[in-house]
């Protein structure tokens, strides 16, 4: 704790109101007394000297102290903590997740989509100080969750994702553009999109390179992840005999994903199994932490509540004493 500072010190001028208040009290106190001439006051020395007599000025003292504390509260006292290093604050992250039907391929366990959801939710849980959001895309895109610090809600929305929620296809450009729209107004130190897909751009009105240039304009870095094994992957197909697995060629447009990351000063990764996907998210986690670990700040905490509470309490006690115990005491 480095001490108390005041956000609005100009309110201290209100303390000058206590001067006429005190002057009026002294004037009324002197005027209220009556005088009688005696040859000597020796016989009256101990008459009328009760405890109320000695404490007769207590109400006005309490009232003035209460008003003074309320003025201090108006000045908004704030306590400031020591300067400290920040490692994870100041980053806004949007995860853009491909939910096309090809994400049901089972070269990941239990499939690509569920593996991506599991790793992403653990990544979110490990960054409690960041604002994070979720965009999903296939043939079109939409925001599943805007930027939020309520990670419990975000994780629940992640778990609700299913392939087939929207029209099938792979609109990488649209997914990226929607993610940019979620981040463009952010004033965070670092703005990041993690775009994960397993295919080639074949739908949407916006080209991936165009969306990448848009991200660059707003200072957004894009990490792209291509998900899929090398060669072929088992894919569930509905047949008259039920769901059967058939090997389907894995086609990931790595050139486009690499171009997106290059334009935005990000990085492209290829995940071929669950373990490599976990390692990729760990690498992104380290990259984004290292970029702001020298950031320093001073954390301030409002303290006016204590002054307002004690000031109001003391003022009420003073008024109560004035109208009850000391009502007839000059």
């Amino acid at each position: 704790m480095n001490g108390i500072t005041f956000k609005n010190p100009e309110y201290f001028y209100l303390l000058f109101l206590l001067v006429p208040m005190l002057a009026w009290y002294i004037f009324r106190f002197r005027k209220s007394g009556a005088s009688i001439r005696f040859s000597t006051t020796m016989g009256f020395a101990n008459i009328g000297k009760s405890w109320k007599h000695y404490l007769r000025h207590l109400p006005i003292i309490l009232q003035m102290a209460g008003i003074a504390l309320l003025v201090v509260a108006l000045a908004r006292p704030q306590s400031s903590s020591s300067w400290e290093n920040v490692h994870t604050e100041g980053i806004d992250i949007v995860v853009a997740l491909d939910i096309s039907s090809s994400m049901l391929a089972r070269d990941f366990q239990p499939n690509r989509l569920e593996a991506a959801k599991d790793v992403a939710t653990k990544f979110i849980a490990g960054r409690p100080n960041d604002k994070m959001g979720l965009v999903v895309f296939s043939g079109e895109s939409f925001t599943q969750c805007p930027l939020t610090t309520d990670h419990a809600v975000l994780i629940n929305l992640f778990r609700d994702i299913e392939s087939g929620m929207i029209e099938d296809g792979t609109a990488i450009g649209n997914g990226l553009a929607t993610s940019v729209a979620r981040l463009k107004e952010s004033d965070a130190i670092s703005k990041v999109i993690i775009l994960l897909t397993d295919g080639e751009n074949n739908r949407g009105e916006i080209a991936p390179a165009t969306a990448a240039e848009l991200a660059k304009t707003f200072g957004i870095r894009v990490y792209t992840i291509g998900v899929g094994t090398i060669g072929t992957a088992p894919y569930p197909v509905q047949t008259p005999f039920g769901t059967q697995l058939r090997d389907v060629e894995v086609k990931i447009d790595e050139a486009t994903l690499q171009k997106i990351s290059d334009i935005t000063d990000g990085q492209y990764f290829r995940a071929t199994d669950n373990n490599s996907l976990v390692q990729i998210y760990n690498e992104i986690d380290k990259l984004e932490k290292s970029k702001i670990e020298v950031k320093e700040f001073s954390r301030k905490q409002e303290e006016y509540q204590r002054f307002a509470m004690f000031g109001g309490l003391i003022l009420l006690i003073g008024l109560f004493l004035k109208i009850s115990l000391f009502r007839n005491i000059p």
Side-chain angles (χ1 to χ4, degrees):
M1 189 78 69
N2 289 339
I4 297 290
T5 58
F6 295 91
K7 180 73 172 179
N8 304 112
E10 62 273 11
Y11 281 103
F12 281 122
Y13 288 113
L14 293 175
L15 291 175
F16 287 116
L17 295 176
L18 295 177
V19 176
M21 180 179 175
L22 180 61
W24 176 250
Y25 176 78
I26 294 174
F27 172 76
R28 287 189 59 194
F29 178 76
R30 289 181 175 177
K31 188 177 180 181
S32 64
S35 60
I36 302 177
R37 293 179 178 271
F38 291 94
S39 59
T40 178
T41 60
M42 185 178 298
F44 300 95
N46 296 318
I47 296 178
K49 301 284 183 153
S50 68
W51 63 271
K52 290 185 179 181
H53 172 81
Y54 293 107
L55 297 178
R56 64 191 184 278
H57 299 304
L58 181 61
I60 189 63
I61 293 174
L62 291 176
Q63 291 174 47
M64 294 181 67
I67 293 172
L69 287 172
L70 291 177
V71 170
V72 173
L74 286 173
R76 285 186 63 187
Q78 297 175 330
S79 60
S80 57
S81 63
S82 301
W83 289 80
E84 52 189 284
N85 290 326
V86 179
H87 296 283
T88 57
E89 293 190 38
I91 301 179
D92 287 356
I93 302 174
V94 169
V95 177
L97 182 61
D98 186 348
I99 61 170
S100 60
S101 59
S102 59
M103 289 289 288
L104 298 177
R106 297 183 183 176
D107 47 349
F108 286 65
Q109 299 300 321
N111 58 47
R112 294 173 184 171
L113 181 58
E114 291 302 319
K117 288 163 57 176
D118 181 62
V119 176
T121 53
K122 291 177 180 177
F123 175 79
I124 293 167
R127 302 183 70 93
N129 298 314
D130 295 330
K131 286 195 294 182
M132 305 188 75
L134 172 61
V135 168
V136 295
F137 67 94
S138 53
E140 53 189 354
S141 66
F142 73 91
T143 302
Q144 176 80 347
C145 181
L147 288 171
T148 180
T149 55
D150 191 341
H151 291 180
V153 170
L154 177 58
I155 289 173
N156 285 333
L157 289 171
F158 247 102
R159 290 171 178 163
D160 291 339
I161 295 172
E162 294 180 0
S163 181
M165 292 173 62
I166 50 180
E167 186 178 354
D168 204 14
T170 306
I172 296 174
N174 282 30
L176 181 53
T178 302
S179 302
V180 171
R182 301 280 70 81
L183 285 168
K184 66 180 183 179
E185 301 297 334
S186 169
D187 57 358
I189 296 169
S190 182
K191 294 178 283 187
V192 172
I193 294 172
I194 302 174
L195 187 147
L196 185 147
T197 183
D198 69 342
E200 301 172 304
N201 188 75
N202 54 28
R203 296 292 298 275
E205 304 81 19
I206 303 174
T210 302
E213 291 290 349
L214 190 63
K216 180 181 179 180
T217 300
F218 291 105
I220 300 169
R221 186 166 40 260
V222 183
Y223 294 106
T224 54
I225 304 174
V227 178
T229 189
I230 306 297
T232 60
Y235 178 78
V237 178
Q238 293 296 329
T239 72
F241 305 100
T243 302
Q244 295 183 355
L245 296 178
R246 294 182 180 176
D247 287 338
V248 177
E249 184 181 0
V250 177
K251 295 181 179 180
I252 301 175
D253 192 349
E254 294 191 278
T256 295
L257 297 179
Q258 182 69 62
K259 185 176 182 180
I260 291 172
S261 62
D262 289 343
I263 291 173
T264 61
D265 193 29
Q267 193 169 336
Y268 169 66
F269 302 91
R270 177 69 183 268
T272 56
D273 55 31
N274 293 63
N275 289 334
S276 61
L277 184 59
V278 171
Q279 292 172 6
I280 288 168
Y281 268 95
N282 288 340
E283 180 66 21
I284 294 173
D285 186 54
K286 292 177 183 177
L287 286 170
E288 285 309 310
K289 283 184 178 179
S290 65
K291 291 181 184 299
I292 63 164
E293 63 184 5
V294 296
K295 173 68 179 175
E296 293 185 333
F297 73 105
S298 179
R299 183 175 289 136
K300 291 184 180 293
Q301 182 176 353
E302 296 287 351
E303 301 288 348
Y304 70 89
Q305 296 96 334
R306 293 188 300 169
F307 290 93
M309 182 179 66
F310 287 119
L313 181 62
I314 291 173
L315 182 60
L316 289 174
I317 292 174
L319 291 172
F320 174 76
L321 293 176
K322 178 64 178 177
I323 64 176
S324 58
L325 297 179
F326 296 91
R327 180 172 55 186
N328 298 318
I329 302 298

